[in-house]
Amino acid sequence: MKLRTLLAVGATAVLALTACGGSDSGGSSTPNAAPTDKVLHLSFLQDPGQPPDPDVYYAGQGLLLTTNTYEGLLQYKGGTEKPELEPLLATEWTASPDNRVFTFKLRQGVTFHDGTPFTSAAVKASFDRRTAVNQGPAYMVADVESVTTQGDYDVTVTLKAPNSAFLDYLACPYGPRMLSPEGLAKNAGGDHAQAYLTSHDLGTGPYTLTAAEVGSRYQLTAYPGYWGPKPYFEKVEMPVITDVSAQQLQFNNGQLAAILHDLPSSAVQSYLDNKAFANYSLPTMMSNFVYVNPKKGMMTDVKNRTAVMQAIDVDELVKQTYFGRGEKAEQIYPSNMMAAEYGKQSVTHDASVLSGIAAGLPADQKSITIGYDSSNPDNQLISNLIQTQLAAAGLTAKVQAYPTSEIYGWIGGDGQAAPELLAYLGWPDAPSPYTWGHISWDPDGGLNLLGCSAPPITDALAKGLPTGSVDDFSTAGEEAVKTGCWLNLANVNDFMVAQPWLKGMEQAHVVTNPNSLRLAALSVG
């Protein structure tokens, strides 16, 4: 799983950076022609890795599938810099003053892809199914006490305890999606239809899943009975191209309409300099962190952890890694989550503090490992740069790649199998500060990769949850900084490149949904 939180503010125009300059990325100076067959060709750099089942899927690449085939009660607006709730399958909603009882008026005239009508019965069936499947995103409905229907198009959800993040759960990309109750019953098998949903879908979205060949290709086809505006593209082809150079070559030759994720820094620079293609640096809630292991070697001492943080020249890291698609982080929370004055991260760059400590360390504690996810080339570069910076302060560091599965295997362990430092790109499941803070910093958090926590963090998060108090969440962040376990390096944009004929990229992008687009908003122009 990849866990990725509020204050929704008014929509702001997203800035799109149009490419200019030479042709370093190998593209022709003549734009590739737009397709006439209404087929959109995209790609995955790695297989999504999990079935495109909305109650199972909990990773990064693959949101393109789940968010275009399924819909929830609410969603976040496209084309904004900050998260802003809007209706989807619910047209109106209210929350009780204590954030415990939520009422929804449902959209009429909607059908599932199996042809059955969407009614209030689907809300209870979908919540129940998420609980029964009990995968990563199940926590979003774990506190639901009851779902009560009032006719076909009104429903009330009552929680066991107040939760200011609940509406964010409903709207976020990993939130509860509505599935056909009849389809679930018909294909239930012994696993609540999990086998069926590896290669089919039971959603209401603008596209239906028509191919899911793991490791090879995925295909979406426009659903003719969709309740909203009909998509321009009738089919979307998404092969899995595991070599980034091969992916770029296909794009440069016009075989792909766009590349939506995982372009390394060198490729970003080349496309910024190439006017044959359009490029977009779009706001997200992604941030690049350094995690510090408090259970190993010199890092068991908070003074040492803090000194290591101070020795990292963040300005230099951001300049060399995220030029054109990111900026230095000033808050401990991921980007676009809280107003600038909250959750401040005050770590002054001063390598001399670590130099003084390193001089007095025993030899076996002067050697550390800096880890990164093997699927993230940016964090390989960041790890190498940190290695050089720490060497100048007296530490010997080696850089090592770890597969994602191994990184998540460290959760709940004794920390000895993990490196002393981990460079990690993360984003919140939902844009409530509680979501990120709880998952990352609480002892039982699903993204607390290296097992660091402190009672003042947990207390502040719990205090803020019922009302959504930004002051409490800010306190939790400040206490997290004091542990020396986390440093937010950079707020990272989605850098995407597209053929110049592909229109609607900004409007199709959602700040809460990384590496993805709302495909129905795209067209040719």
Side-chain angles (χ1 to χ4, degrees):
M1 62 182 181
K2 277 200 178 173
L3 308 170
R4 301 9 98 223
T5 191
L6 156 149
L7 299 173
V9 297
T12 338
V14 167
L15 297 178
L17 304 180
T18 305
C20 59
S23 54
D24 294 347
S25 59
S28 165
S29 59
T30 304
N32 294 302
T36 57
D37 58 3
K38 294 195 172 182
V39 178
L40 180 66
H41 293 270
L42 301 172
S43 65
F44 291 120
L45 185 60
Q46 55 184 322
D47 189 84
Q50 295 172 325
D53 177 334
D55 295 327
V56 174
Y57 188 77
Y58 206 26
Q61 292 192 36
L63 279 178
L64 199 64
L65 301 174
T66 57
T67 57
N68 283 288
T69 53
Y70 295 95
E71 295 174 315
L73 297 178
L74 309 176
Q75 68 177 7
Y76 287 100
K77 286 187 176 181
T80 69
E81 290 185 346
K82 304 287 183 181
E84 183 177 348
L85 285 171
E86 68 176 1
L88 192 53
L89 294 181
T91 57
E92 300 175 27
W93 66 92
T94 62
S96 64
D98 66 352
N99 287 312
R100 186 167 172 258
V101 180
F102 300 83
T103 63
F104 303 92
K105 186 170 290 293
L106 304 182
R107 189 177 300 279
Q108 301 185 33
V110 177
T111 60
F112 289 101
H113 295 161
D114 63 0
T116 60
F118 166 68
T119 67
S120 56
V123 181
K124 177 169 175 51
S126 299
F127 281 26
D128 286 350
R129 197 259 177 176
R130 177 163 283 212
T131 299
V133 169
N134 196 28
Q135 295 292 315
Y139 78 89
M140 296 187 188
V141 297
D143 287 338
V144 173
E145 182 175 87
S146 65
V147 178
T148 308
T149 61
Q150 297 90 39
D152 283 346
Y153 297 106
D154 291 276
V155 65
T156 299
V157 178
T158 302
L159 306 182
K160 299 171 187 174
N163 187 334
S164 61
F166 186 65
L167 292 176
D168 293 292
Y169 292 167
L170 298 185
C172 77
Y174 302 95
R177 294 294 186 263
M178 298 299 103
L179 293 87
S180 164
E182 291 187 34
L184 288 174
K186 179 180 176 181
N187 300 286
D191 64 356
H192 307 285
Q194 287 185 74
Y196 179 78
L197 292 182
T198 60
S199 55
H200 303 80
D201 79 89
L202 290 169
T204 62
Y207 288 90
T208 185
L209 183 69
T210 46
E213 301 169 16
V214 175
S216 177
R217 65 181 281 265
Y218 294 82
Q219 181 192 75
L220 300 177
T221 300
Y223 174 52
Y226 184 56
W227 61 268
K230 301 298 184 283
Y232 172 83
F233 291 103
E234 296 171 357
K235 285 189 184 299
V236 185
E237 293 283 354
M238 292 160 283
V240 178
I241 305 172
T242 56
D243 180 82
V244 68
S245 298
Q247 185 184 51
Q248 288 176 241
L249 182 61
Q250 289 196 27
F251 171 74
N252 295 346
N253 291 338
Q255 296 166 266
L256 297 177
I259 299 177
L260 306 184
H261 45 68
D262 293 316
L263 282 167
S265 300
S266 58
V268 169
Q269 185 61 60
S270 70
Y271 285 116
L272 286 170
D273 292 338
N274 190 330
K275 53 173 116 171
F277 305 108
N279 66 75
Y280 304 86
S281 189
L282 303 170
T284 71
M285 304 188 81
M286 293 191 294
S287 287
N288 212 124
F289 290 86
V290 171
Y291 283 49
V292 183
N293 186 344
K295 301 177 179 180
K296 194 170 184 180
M298 66 172 287
M299 303 303 175
T300 57
D301 189 324
V302 64
K303 294 192 301 297
N304 295 349
R305 297 197 296 270
T306 301
V308 167
M309 295 294 193
Q310 288 182 277
I312 296 174
D313 187 342
V314 177
D315 288 305
E316 189 62 26
L317 295 183
V318 175
K319 177 183 175 182
Q320 294 200 39
T321 309
Y322 287 119
F323 174 79
R325 60 190 174 122
E327 62 184 11
K328 180 181 178 181
E330 302 293 344
Q331 297 171 298
I332 189 61
Y333 284 91
S335 56
N336 299 314
M337 184 176 298
M338 307 174 77
E341 63 268 27
Y342 296 109
K344 297 294 285 185
Q345 177 179 259
S346 51
V347 180
T348 304
H349 174 52
D350 183 358
S352 67
V353 180
L354 180 59
S355 296
I357 290 173
L361 287 174
D364 63 335
Q365 290 198 22
K366 291 185 180 182
S367 296
I368 67 168
T369 298
I370 304 167
Y372 69 95
D373 189 314
S374 58
S375 68
N376 191 304
D378 289 329
N379 269 321
Q380 181 179 13
L381 174 58
I382 283 174
S383 298
N384 289 334
L385 292 170
I386 292 175
Q387 176 189 41
T388 302
Q389 293 176 2
L390 297 185
L395 295 184
T396 301
K398 70 173 183 178
V399 172
Q400 182 172 334
Y402 296 88
T404 305
S405 57
E406 184 173 351
I407 291 172
Y408 288 110
W410 300 332
I411 297 172
D414 62 7
Q416 300 313 297
E420 283 81 1
L421 299 182
L422 177 71
Y424 184 80
L425 182 71
W427 59 90
D429 289 5
S432 160
Y434 174 81
T435 306
W436 179 261
H438 168 64
I439 287 169
S440 301
W441 307 328
D442 272 346
D444 57 346
L447 197 61
N448 195 338
L449 303 173
L450 301 180
C452 188
S453 61
I457 304 175
T458 297
D459 293 346
L461 289 170
K463 184 180 176 185
L465 178 61
T467 63
S469 165
V470 129
D471 289 321
D472 290 326
F473 296 142
S474 182
T475 297
E478 291 164 2
E479 292 296 330
V481 173
K482 290 178 185 177
T483 67
C485 290
W486 299 278
L487 178 66
N488 189 355
L489 301 175
N491 299 329
V492 183
N493 288 351
D494 263 335
F495 185 84
M496 301 180 177
V497 292
Q499 304 295 345
W501 50 259
L502 186 62
K503 303 304 178 185
M505 292 284 288
E506 300 97 331
Q507 294 74 24
H509 185 265
V510 187
V511 65
T512 56
N513 301 16
N515 306 321
S516 184
L517 294 173
R518 288 188 179 145
L519 299 174
L522 299 175
S523 62
V524 167

